[in-house]
Amino acid sequence: MESFLIKGGVPLHGEVTISGSKNAALPIMAATLLTDEPCIIRGVPDLSDTRFMAQILQSLGAQVKFANGTLTIRAKKIRGYADYELVRKMRGSICIAGPLLARLHKARISLPGGCIIGARPINLHLKGFESLGAKIKIEGGYVDATAKKLVGSTMFLGGRAGSTVLGTANVMMAATLADGVTVIESAACEPEVVDLANFLNAMGAKISGAGGPTITISGVSKLHGAEHTVIPDRIETATFMIAAAATNGEVTIKNARADHLNAVIDKLNEAGVSIQNRGGNLLVRRGKKLRAADVTTLPYSGFPTDVQAQMMSLLALAPGISIITERIFESRFMHVSELARLGAEIEIEGPSAIVKGGRPLSGAPVMASDLRASAALVIAGLAAKGATQVNRIYHLDRGYEKMDAKLRKLGARIRRVEEK
Ligand code: EPZ
């Protein structure tokens, strides 16, 4: 297993180019199952998660070519069964269920199982499928969804923490080939949902309202092949913005969509970080000094839960008390005890973490527990005095393309080593 060895204390300087969005690419890859014609998807990040999804599509019978960020996928003849061994590796693979149900009127998918950041049930996905007329049976750890035909309907897809991103994506894809009109109320508004809707419309679907809480899908009888370029990864963008500020550096972020990051930019400004949008490139640097700030994670366009951990690393450096409240996932504070190993002062009170910021961090060996927690530990290691070893970086490779190389280009002293 690999680790990152970081010598901290170096302000990041220079330019970094953001990769395509993991969370947009995954459902778009699944959507290619809706047609037997070839699809070309550009700007796909080379990550273990996108490679897992490619394997899952191949296991269903699709031909997949992946080269230089471009995927060519043809799901000419497919089967409707995805086994546990593949699905358990990546929860996001649940979004093949909608396309299989739409195209084959049957889908047998392993239940994704628990996740370290929360229970993450799929009851809303299944509720949506049932509302389209599917019969759902759960047995032996598998979901069996079958339907003579799918019929459009109006449904409310809000849950315990508000809307569901992949639930909205899954039901939207299933409804593209249903008879009649489907209306999804309390739909997720994330940019990744909009990007998927744009791809589906390029395939001949009739979707309107994506990006808002009400999405309308008029079913069509067939979809065709299409070409699409995935949006930039807004979570990777936020991660590099925070790394620049945490190291007191000056970084220009290229291929970034500032309009997807309003809540993050607003909160960073509040914390004393200056962000200038220069023709689509974001110039990020710390202002006079960092300030404490309170953060609450919410569905889009609120502050993203996928940036909560990274923001905690920054606020650990800001003098004063910051309160970070996690409203989306019930156990997404695994990074707190690891940040404490670097000297951060953080207490957990129910859904909130109380950060007493301002104390300098010092390097130590730490353990990554999940994708975004590992990014937070890398940022803290870059800001800390001395050496930090971040273990289990396979978590990070799931969602960040060549992160260490990009950081080295910005002057960071970071290298990948074999874990002892
Ligand atoms: C997507 O997961 C992202 N993953 C997650 O990013 C992200 O954290 C999450 O959306 C929220 O923004 C991908 O896009 C691949 P949800 P998703 O369904 O769709 C509850 C990362 O770091 N819920 O919007 O699985 C659920 O438990 C990952 O890149 C139900 O109760 O998340 C959670 O509390 C981590 N029933 C809340 O809704 C359901 O049927 C939001 O989950 C579905 C969800």
Side-chain angles (χ1 to χ4, degrees), residues 242-258:
I242 292 172
T247 59
N248 201 5
E250 182 169 312
V251 173
T252 298
I253 302 182
K254 305 182 87 169
N255 189 33
R257 287 281 303 266

Side-chain angles (χ1 to χ4, degrees), residues 251-309:
V251 173
T252 298
I253 302 182
K254 305 182 87 169
N255 189 33
R257 287 281 303 266
D259 58 323
H260 291 167
L261 286 162
N262 292 331
V264 173
I265 292 173
D266 176 63
K267 202 44 77 173
L268 286 174
N269 288 158
E270 197 183 317
V273 181
S274 128
I275 298 152
Q276 291 166 36
N277 191 337
R278 298 201 170 159
N281 295 336
L282 300 178
L283 175 61
V284 184
R285 57 176 163 227
R286 198 191 284 188
K288 286 208 184 51
K289 63 184 182 62
L290 287 177
R291 292 187 293 269
D294 296 342
V295 175
T296 299
T297 65
L298 293 165
Y300 191 85
S301 61
F303 191 94
T305 174
D306 295 347
V307 184
Q308 177 255 98

Side-chain angles (χ1 to χ4, degrees), residues 22-24 26-27 49 90-95 115 117-126 159-168 188 190 192 234-235 298-300 304-306 327-330 332 370-372 398-399:
K22 164 184 83 81
N23 290 347
L26 295 175
D49 271 13
M90 182 185 64
R91 296 186 52 80
S93 54
I94 191 66
C95 61
C115 169
I117 65 176
R120 302 185 75 176
I122 58 165
N123 56 310
L124 297 169
H125 301 233
L126 304 182
R160 183 193 59 78
S163 55
T164 162
V165 177
L166 288 180
T168 301
E190 271 70 3
E192 295 77 24
R234 63 190 168 103
I235 308 299
L298 293 165
Y300 191 85
T305 174
D306 295 347
R327 288 266 177 252
I328 305 296
F329 292 108
E330 56 276 24
R332 199 170 203 178
D370 61 83
L371 169 56
R372 307 305 171 182
R398 295 191 43 211

